[in-house]
Amino acid sequence: MYQSFNSDKLNYLDFFFETADGFGGKGRSDKRKYVERKNIGKSNGDAFPEKGAYFGCISEGEENRGAYSDLCVVIFPSNEPEDADDRWLVALAVGSLGFKDDYDIVTLPGTRRLFIRKMYGDKANTFIKNDFLDVESNDGFKKFRVNNNFPETLSNAVKNYEKEILVSTIIDPNDKKASEDVIKRYLGLYATIREWPSNKNNRKKVKEALSVKNEALDEEKEIKKLLYQRKYIVLQGAPGTGKTRMAKQISRESNNVFFTQFHAETSYSDFIYGILPDVQEKELKYKDREGIFVKAIRAAQENTNEKVYLIIDEINRANLSNVLGPAFYLFEPNMSDGDVQIEICPNLSLRKLPDNLYVIATMNTADRSLAVIDFALRRRFAWYTMTPHEIKVGNGYEFCAKEFNAIRDIFEKYATDEEMNLQPGQAYFIVSRDNKEEEIHERLKYEIMPLIKEYLDNGMLSRSKDDFTNYFRNRIHEEMYK
């Protein structure tokens, strides 16, 4: 084993604890809010331990040696013969005694979500355990270790901790800036969940450490790309995320756009073809009626050089098997002319839908009165999730980012993956610039607060009740529960 450990590497030791202190880990009385742990460097005469080195901080109140409980941030260094071969591991881990005081923190969906969001830029080099309560399995981490070719001295350091590692990122200690950025992010996240920051300076440093620049997604471009590859897509998302608006925006380039909205009573005769009584005649007579689906097909057949769009709003509100009937078979994006011919209506039989016909459907993921979307239909459509996000608006309107972020932060902290589909979208927070305060006050009081209250009353987001109650009380001086 390599006993020497060069001084440049030891600089990370000082950097780690200085950063932790600057994030609020050290209070006014110089008392630390964490316990320092290290098995490397200065206290060991610059020796590198044979069984592997580490340094980090554990929960306040734990002992400074021996087994411990709860969450910690730890760095496992390597010490290869050639410095260029070194790879270190920064990790969020659990002490071998399991959970004592951090059970509530770990069971919050927002704890894991924080690391997913803030480590996204390093996702190729990062492992995040699917269940933060799982300290019994190590399959995921073992695969991560093998795929990243851990050097020998690093493998020796982590082999006894594989089950307890919840999040970890590989860093190259020779790249000082990149390594320090990752270390700061881990400590910033740890400071956040531990609520270390106690003054403006602490909070500023943590905010800077967690400020990760993600490339802005051109949502319209992404959806168009998916649509032209797959032909039939569903835009799904929470209310107010702009699903219908996006569908109309994409189709505006065409003169042939067909729009319908499904509901519980929508039938085959409404959407495709039916025979109805002619109420204009004195005697009982019947006439046929082509639905909007047939009209879109005929338009595509007559305008082969132009894209034809069919928009189906709220596709999940109807009984789709009844509405589509045998036409269901035709919704196959890569279908070639085959032997099977489907009769849509008199004088219209198809082996495939026209190549220039594109279907954009929308689905509200917060709607709990939904028809079941079966797996066969899911396979035929591509699914794109539109999530609430900050937007820029003009023409006399303003987006209330402060209010949007306050609601979003509570959802991020408490909502399960399924409950994230309930988060009010950006449309709720667009108000006129001239009457901004009055409009956002009314929007919060008469739209958003009742919506949140309904969620809570139906057993959703249960742990967020106090946070939402306090937010509405402080922001609009209204009590959600009186």
Side-chain angles (χ1 to χ4, degrees), residues 447-464:
E447 295 183 40
I448 298 174
M449 188 172 75
L451 181 66
I452 299 298
K453 188 174 186 293
E454 183 179 352
Y455 293 158
L456 293 169
D457 290 347
N458 280 277
M460 293 170 280
L461 296 156
S462 55
R463 290 180 66 179
S464 68

Side-chain angles (χ1 to χ4, degrees), residues 14-195:
D14 295 330
F15 173 80
F16 181 94
F17 293 111
E18 288 169 3
T19 301
D21 292 344
F23 287 169
K26 182 181 284 188
R28 288 185 178 180
S29 62
D30 282 346
K31 181 183 177 182
R32 280 176 163 165
K33 301 173 186 177
Y34 64 89
V35 174
E36 179 181 313
R37 284 285 185 102
K38 57 186 176 182
N39 184 35
I40 190 174
K42 295 178 180 179
S43 63
N44 284 334
D46 292 352
F48 189 85
E50 184 176 349
K51 291 185 178 180
Y54 61 83
F55 58 92
C57 52
I58 66 174
S59 181
E60 184 179 16
E62 293 294 318
E63 298 297 328
N64 58 12
R65 64 180 61 197
Y68 62 91
S69 305
D70 292 331
L71 297 174
C72 64
V73 173
V74 59
I75 294 181
F76 297 99
S78 68
N79 191 30
E80 294 298 290
E82 298 293 334
D83 286 348
D85 295 333
D86 274 324
R87 293 295 180 271
W88 292 15
L89 193 73
V90 187
L92 175 76
V94 183
S96 59
L97 296 181
F99 298 107
K100 183 176 66 174
D101 298 322
D102 287 350
Y103 182 83
D104 284 346
I105 292 175
V106 173
T107 54
L108 279 177
T111 301
R112 181 174 178 272
R113 194 172 284 132
L114 262 177
F115 282 87
I116 292 174
R117 299 283 191 268
K118 296 305 179 181
M119 301 312 300
Y120 182 82
D122 296 283
K123 61 181 179 179
N125 301 319
T126 296
F127 162 78
I128 301 179
K129 207 164 194 175
N130 190 53
D131 180 2
F132 273 17
L133 287 174
D134 175 16
V135 290
E136 299 298 326
S137 68
N138 63 346
D139 294 342
F141 183 81
K142 280 176 68 176
K143 186 174 181 180
F144 172 74
R145 174 171 57 79
V146 171
N147 289 345
N148 283 274
N149 298 313
F150 279 24
E152 181 185 354
T153 51
L154 179 57
S155 291
N156 289 338
V158 302
K159 64 184 178 183
N160 293 325
Y161 306 97
E162 289 183 341
K163 293 181 179 180
E164 290 84 10
I165 292 176
L166 305 181
V167 187
S168 58
T169 301
I170 292 287
I171 61 173
D172 178 359
N174 302 295
D175 187 340
K176 187 171 183 291
K177 183 181 184 308
S179 296
E180 288 183 350
D181 284 347
V182 172
I183 293 169
K184 284 194 290 187
R185 242 177 295 160
Y186 270 82
L187 286 170
L189 291 166
Y190 193 69
T192 300
I193 61 179
R194 284 266 180 256
E195 299 181 347

Side-chain angles (χ1 to χ4, degrees), residues 22 173 273 391 478:
Y273 176 80
I391 57 173
E478 291 286 339

Side-chain angles (χ1 to χ4, degrees), residues 3-23:
Q3 295 301 309
S4 61
F5 197 65
N6 80 47
S7 58
D8 288 339
K9 294 178 183 178
L10 284 173
N11 288 336
Y12 282 109
L13 192 67
D14 295 330
F15 173 80
F16 181 94
F17 293 111
E18 288 169 3
T19 301
D21 292 344
F23 287 169

Side-chain angles (χ1 to χ4, degrees), residues 18-19 21-24 184 188 197 199-211:
E18 288 169 3
T19 301
D21 292 344
F23 287 169
K184 284 194 290 187
N199 58 51
K200 186 177 180 181
N201 188 45
N202 295 156
R203 288 187 286 272
K204 180 182 177 183
K205 287 181 177 180
V206 169
K207 184 178 180 180
E208 289 173 351
L210 300 182
S211 178

